């Protein structure tokens, strides 16, 4: 007869749980406890194992060739440091409950020097405008080559010569040509990458603020 208890369902991975990375400055109060919890090689092996796949104490002990008591000791310390948590419960064939451990974050980053590690918005904007300027020069060159290769209609004999195009007509011609297309697509792409970068940086900063 099959057991009515869930034995070993597939646990949710770190990516499936939608976790955020945890940034910890060396000067944070939690840094000392974290460093103490991961000072042991066994503790670091346990944490790496859980980032690969959530699992139980006995499975970790079997994987890294250690005793269950030793694994339990380090798991308690990692829990106190808020690096791992129990996400569900499995049952053995005898009906014994087994806690399933997993990381509390998608990545753990310990750092020093916030000014060096935090990207500058001014620097990022300067790079964006520089990239737009380069693309603008390229698009003008493309437009100029396209204009030269485009045949100009010859006026009929006796008709007055066509006047030089106005600034507006020149801009319209540029915007509807290949140069304008390249410039527009490039600007959209650059701005999209910038917004994505800024949003990710903002979320990381918020995560660091909440974890501090």
């Amino acid at each position: 007869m099959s057991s009515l208890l869930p034995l070993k369902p597939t646990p949710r991975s770190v990516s499936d749980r939608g976790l955020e990375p945890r940034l910890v400055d060396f000067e944070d109060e939690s840094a000392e406890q974290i460093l103490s919890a991961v000072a042991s090689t066994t503790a670091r092996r346990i944490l790496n194992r859980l980032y690969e796949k959530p699992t139980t104490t006995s499975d970790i002990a079997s994987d890294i060739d250690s005793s269950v008591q030793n694994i339990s000791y380090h798991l308690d310390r990692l829990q106190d440091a808020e690096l791992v948590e129990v996400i569900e419960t499995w049952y053995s064939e005898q009906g014994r409950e087994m806690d399933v451990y997993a990381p509390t974050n998608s990545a753990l980053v310990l750092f020093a020097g916030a000014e060096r590690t935090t990207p500058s918005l001014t620097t990022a904007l300067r790079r964006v405008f520089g990239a737009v300027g380069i693309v603008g020069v390229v698009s003008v060159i493309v437009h100029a080559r396209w204009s030269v290769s485009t045949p100009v209609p010859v006026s009929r004999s006796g008709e007055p010569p066509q006047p030089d195009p106005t600034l507006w007509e020149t801009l319209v011609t540029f915007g509807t040509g290949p140069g304008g297309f390249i410039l527009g697509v490039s600007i959209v792409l650059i701005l999209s990458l910038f917004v994505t970068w800024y949003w990710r940086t903002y979320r990381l900063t918020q995560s660091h603020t909440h974890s501090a």
Side-chain angles (χ1 to χ4, degrees):
M1 179 184 297
S2 61
S3 173
L4 298 178
L5 299 174
L7 297 179
K8 285 191 176 182
T10 302
R12 292 183 300 164
S13 64
V14 172
S15 58
D16 292 337
R17 294 167 61 206
L19 299 177
E20 296 290 340
R22 181 179 178 183
L23 303 180
V24 181
D25 193 327
F26 281 135
E27 296 184 358
D28 288 348
E29 294 181 0
S30 59
E32 184 174 354
Q33 187 175 23
I34 292 174
L35 291 172
S36 177
V38 299
S40 167
T41 301
T42 301
R44 295 194 295 272
R45 293 181 65 189
I46 292 172
L47 192 57
N48 282 331
R49 176 68 176 80
L50 293 178
Y51 273 111
E52 294 173 1
K53 183 177 67 174
T55 189
T56 63
T57 304
S58 58
D59 283 347
I60 297 174
S62 176
D63 288 343
I64 67 174
D65 193 21
S66 183
S67 66
V68 173
Q69 292 76 12
N70 190 31
I71 300 301
S72 297
Y73 167 77
H74 287 292
L75 283 173
D76 289 341
R77 289 172 59 83
L78 291 171
Q79 277 189 291
D80 291 339
E82 299 182 352
L83 298 179
V84 303
E85 62 183 347
V86 176
I87 60 171
E88 58 184 275
T89 301
W90 289 347
Y91 293 88
S92 67
E93 294 181 354
Q94 294 76 28
R96 182 171 57 88
E97 291 186 356
M98 300 182 296
D99 290 333
V100 178
Y101 293 87
T104 57
N105 46 73
S106 63
L108 174 64
V109 180
L110 297 173
F111 69 93
E115 292 183 358
R116 293 193 300 270
T117 56
T118 303
S120 168
L121 179 60
T122 303
T123 301
L125 288 174
R126 189 181 299 116
R127 292 176 180 175
V128 168
F129 290 130
V132 171
I134 294 174
V135 172
V137 172
V138 173
S139 62
V140 169
I141 294 175
V142 171
H143 177 75
R145 293 179 63 88
W146 172 74
S147 300
V148 171
S149 61
T150 303
V152 179
V154 180
S155 60
R156 296 179 181 178
S157 178
E159 292 184 358
Q162 296 293 327
D164 293 335
T166 63
L167 176 61
W168 173 251
E169 291 174 339
T170 301
L171 293 176
V172 170
T173 302
F174 175 79
T176 55
F181 175 78
I182 294 175
L183 179 62
V185 172
S186 299
I187 290 178
V188 171
L189 179 59
I190 292 171
L191 291 180
S192 299
L193 292 174
F194 170 75
V195 171
T196 302
W197 169 87
Y198 184 74
W199 175 244
R200 287 172 62 89
T201 303
Y202 171 79
R203 294 180 66 183
L204 288 175
T205 304
Q206 290 297 107
S207 176
H208 171 232
T209 301
H210 293 324
S211 62

